[in-house]
């Protein structure tokens, strides 16, 4: 049931992604003087790219555009466009792709533990691989964020970079902590203290950045 709920959640998120993508593209087209129009169905363009194998699909492919009031369209995409600087109006898609990649890593970890019949040490090796993959995803996202600086204010970009660093540090410490044998109690306690410091330190630094700026 949990897996089915996750798959349904992915389908819903994909539908929202496509829906808002067409709205944002329509808004950018209107701002550039190309006319204030949107597709009648958010999947109209997808249908045009598919093979029309039945009458329903052919009917769907005939979907055209309709005019829309600029203020109405602006309200639809305000959350997605006004949060970012003018040079990065579609940065929300990057955030969603990053979240989807991390979500896929967690799903693979859960499915592998349920379906794969392997010794415990092989599960632990797979967990390390997935954690390294998560660190890689966050590192690439951090690099892309540093290159684009998508937010309008400097403190927003600094805060986002700090959160990336904190998340990567937590994952690295978690990898080290998981490799410590259970017999080494003192060392494991020290690792737990480091994890707690990293977590609380990230929150404290974020609060300082917000208050200062």
């Amino acid at each position: 049931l949990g897996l089915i709920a996750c798959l349904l959640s992915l389908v819903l998120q994909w539908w929202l992604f496509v829906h808002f993508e067409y709205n944002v593209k329509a808004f950018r087209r209107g701002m550039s003087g190309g006319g204030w129009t949107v597709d009648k169905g958010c999947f109209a363009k997808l249908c045009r790219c598919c093979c029309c194998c039945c009458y329903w699909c052919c009917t769907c492919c005939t979907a055209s555009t309709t005019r829309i009031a600029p203020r109405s369209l602006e309200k639809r995409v305000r959350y997605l466009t006004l949060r970012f600087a003018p040079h990065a109006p579609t940065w929300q898609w990057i955030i969603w792709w990053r979240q989807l990649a991390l979500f896929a890593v967690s799903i693979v970890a859960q499915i592998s533990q349920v379906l794969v019949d392997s010794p415990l040490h092989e599960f632990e090796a797979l967990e390390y691989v997935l954690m390294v993959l998560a660190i890689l995803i966050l590192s690439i996202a951090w690099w892309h964020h540093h290159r684009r600086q998508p937010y309008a204010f400097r403190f927003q970009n600094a805060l986002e970079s700090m959160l990336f660093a904190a998340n990567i540090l937590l994952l690295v410490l978690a990898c080290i902590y998981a490799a410590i044998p259970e017999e080494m109690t003192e060392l494991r306690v020290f690792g737990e203290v480091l994890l707690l410091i990293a977590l609380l330190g990230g929150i404290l630094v974020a609060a300082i950045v917000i208050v200062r700026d």
Side-chain angles (χ1 to χ4, degrees), residues 8-18 96 99-100 103:
L8 292 177
S9 176
L10 285 176
V11 172
L12 177 61
Q13 291 179 16
W14 178 254
W15 182 86
L16 291 173
F17 177 88
V18 175
W96 281 345
Q99 294 173 343
L100 179 62
F103 183 73

Side-chain angles (χ1 to χ4, degrees), residues 52-74:
C52 296
C53 56
C54 62
Y55 175 79
W56 178 86
C57 190
C58 293
T59 304
C60 181
C61 289
T62 61
S64 59
T65 59
T66 181
R67 295 188 62 83
I68 187 173
R71 185 177 296 275
S72 176
L73 185 58
E74 189 270 340

Side-chain angles (χ1 to χ4, degrees), residues 149-203:
Q149 298 291 301
Y151 294 99
F153 298 101
R154 186 179 61 180
F155 84 92
Q156 292 176 304
N157 293 306
L159 180 61
E160 186 77 359
S161 295
M162 188 277 303
L163 293 175
F164 273 121
N167 287 329
I168 293 173
L169 178 60
L170 283 173
L171 286 175
V172 171
L173 291 176
C175 290
I176 298 174
Y177 177 78
I180 301 175
E182 295 184 0
E183 295 78 14
M184 305 178 66
T185 307
E186 295 181 356
L187 193 56
R188 289 181 67 87
V189 171
F190 179 71
E192 293 174 359
V193 172
L194 287 180
L195 285 169
L196 182 61
I197 292 175
L199 178 61
L200 297 180
I203 297 174

Side-chain angles (χ1 to χ4, degrees), residues 102-180:
L102 293 174
F103 183 73
V105 170
S106 65
I107 289 297
V108 170
Q110 296 177 13
I111 293 177
S112 61
Q113 292 183 359
V114 173
L115 300 181
V116 179
D117 184 15
S118 300
L120 181 61
H121 68 275
E122 294 188 10
F123 280 127
E124 294 177 349
L126 180 60
E127 288 178 357
Y128 288 127
V129 171
L130 293 175
M131 281 194 286
V132 171
L133 183 58
I135 292 172
L136 180 61
I137 292 171
L138 289 174
S139 300
I140 294 174
W142 187 10
W143 170 81
H144 193 43
H145 167 83
H146 178 73
R147 187 172 64 89
R148 290 296 303 274
Q149 298 291 301
Y151 294 99
F153 298 101
R154 186 179 61 180
F155 84 92
Q156 292 176 304
N157 293 306
L159 180 61
E160 186 77 359
S161 295
M162 188 277 303
L163 293 175
F164 273 121
N167 287 329
I168 293 173
L169 178 60
L170 283 173
L171 286 175
V172 171
L173 291 176
C175 290
I176 298 174
Y177 177 78
I180 301 175

